[in-house]
Amino acid sequence: MATARQTDPRLQIMTETIEGLIPRATPAALSVAVTEALPGLGERSNTWTGSPAGHAERLFTALYGRPAAGDPLSPLAQAEDAKRARDIVGEMAALQRGHADLTAAPWYPARPGDLVHVHYEAGGLSDAFGETYLITAGTDGFLSMQLLCHTLSATEDAEGMVGCFAVDDDPDPLMELWFEAGPHRLTIVRDGRPVHSGGA
């Protein structure tokens, strides 16, 4: 299923060409790896791994500039679109692609001290607003994500929306936020530097 960023046919052709390197492969199960072997250092090497769509987007950006964004969809929204279209393959592919994009990110997994900001567009009864969460060590060996602050007024938060992604002792505290809000709405800061700028 094409995402909003893949509406340009040139980007779609690049993605399909990369996916076609392995005939009859399942696109959602594919990844692209680029490895730099460092001479004289034995087994050490530098590696970049990503999805075929991510690799195609990098090539497209280098050649033509950033693809038209349209309205990006979260992995969950992409899966729901496919489900409404009765496309079980597209639904599973969207979920698998979302998981692969998170777990293949060079900054993954989250670490204590990471700051996670999520931006929400204006809609319904509220203006645009943001929430900032802090990743901390949990009490039982996993990680927690605590709400630090938000920019939604108390009157706008009548339904208690703020802080809904806070978790305690979760093996992967970013998973729900990544799938539901979407990577395009997230900014993740580690050691004072952005490591993921979804809105950029």
Side-chain angles (χ1 to χ4, degrees):
M1 180 181 123
T3 65
R5 296 188 74 80
Q6 292 176 318
T7 54
D8 190 304
R10 297 171 297 179
L11 179 57
Q12 189 63 34
I13 290 167
M14 287 180 177
T15 302
E16 291 171 358
T17 301
I18 294 168
E19 290 171 347
L21 291 172
I22 300 177
R24 295 178 301 283
T26 304
L30 292 174
S31 65
V32 178
V34 178
T35 303
E36 174 193 32
L38 301 174
L41 297 177
E43 298 295 318
R44 292 191 54 207
S45 63
N46 294 319
T47 303
W48 176 88
T49 304
S51 67
H55 184 55
E57 187 168 326
R58 284 176 178 251
L59 293 173
F60 184 97
T61 301
L63 291 169
Y64 308 109
R66 292 197 58 80
D71 292 324
L73 297 176
S74 70
L76 187 60
Q78 292 174 37
E80 288 171 350
D81 280 354
K83 186 175 185 177
R84 278 190 291 278
R86 299 181 185 272
D87 177 8
I88 186 69
V89 173
E91 181 182 357
M92 295 305 297
L95 296 173
Q96 290 172 338
R97 186 170 47 248
H99 182 268
D101 288 345
L102 173 60
T103 57
W107 47 264
Y108 180 87
R111 296 182 195 162
D114 286 356
L115 292 173
V116 182
H117 181 79
V118 58
H119 170 77
Y120 300 96
E121 301 295 337
L125 302 175
S126 71
D127 294 330
F129 74 100
E131 297 178 307
T132 302
Y133 293 88
L134 173 66
I135 303 290
T136 61
T139 56
D140 293 326
F142 294 117
L143 296 173
S144 295
M145 190 163 67
Q146 305 168 346
L147 178 68
L148 280 182
C149 60
H150 65 87
T151 59
L152 188 64
S153 72
T155 55
E156 291 177 307
D157 191 28
E159 297 181 16
M161 300 184 317
V162 170
C164 65
F165 291 110
V167 294
D168 289 318
D169 274 316
D170 192 304
D172 201 336
L174 294 176
M175 190 67 69
E176 184 178 7
L177 183 58
W178 185 270
F179 270 81
E180 290 191 23
H184 61 287
R185 296 184 191 275
L186 303 182
T187 301
I188 300 171
V189 177
R190 176 172 295 157
D191 301 328
R193 296 181 181 270
V195 293
H196 174 80
S197 298

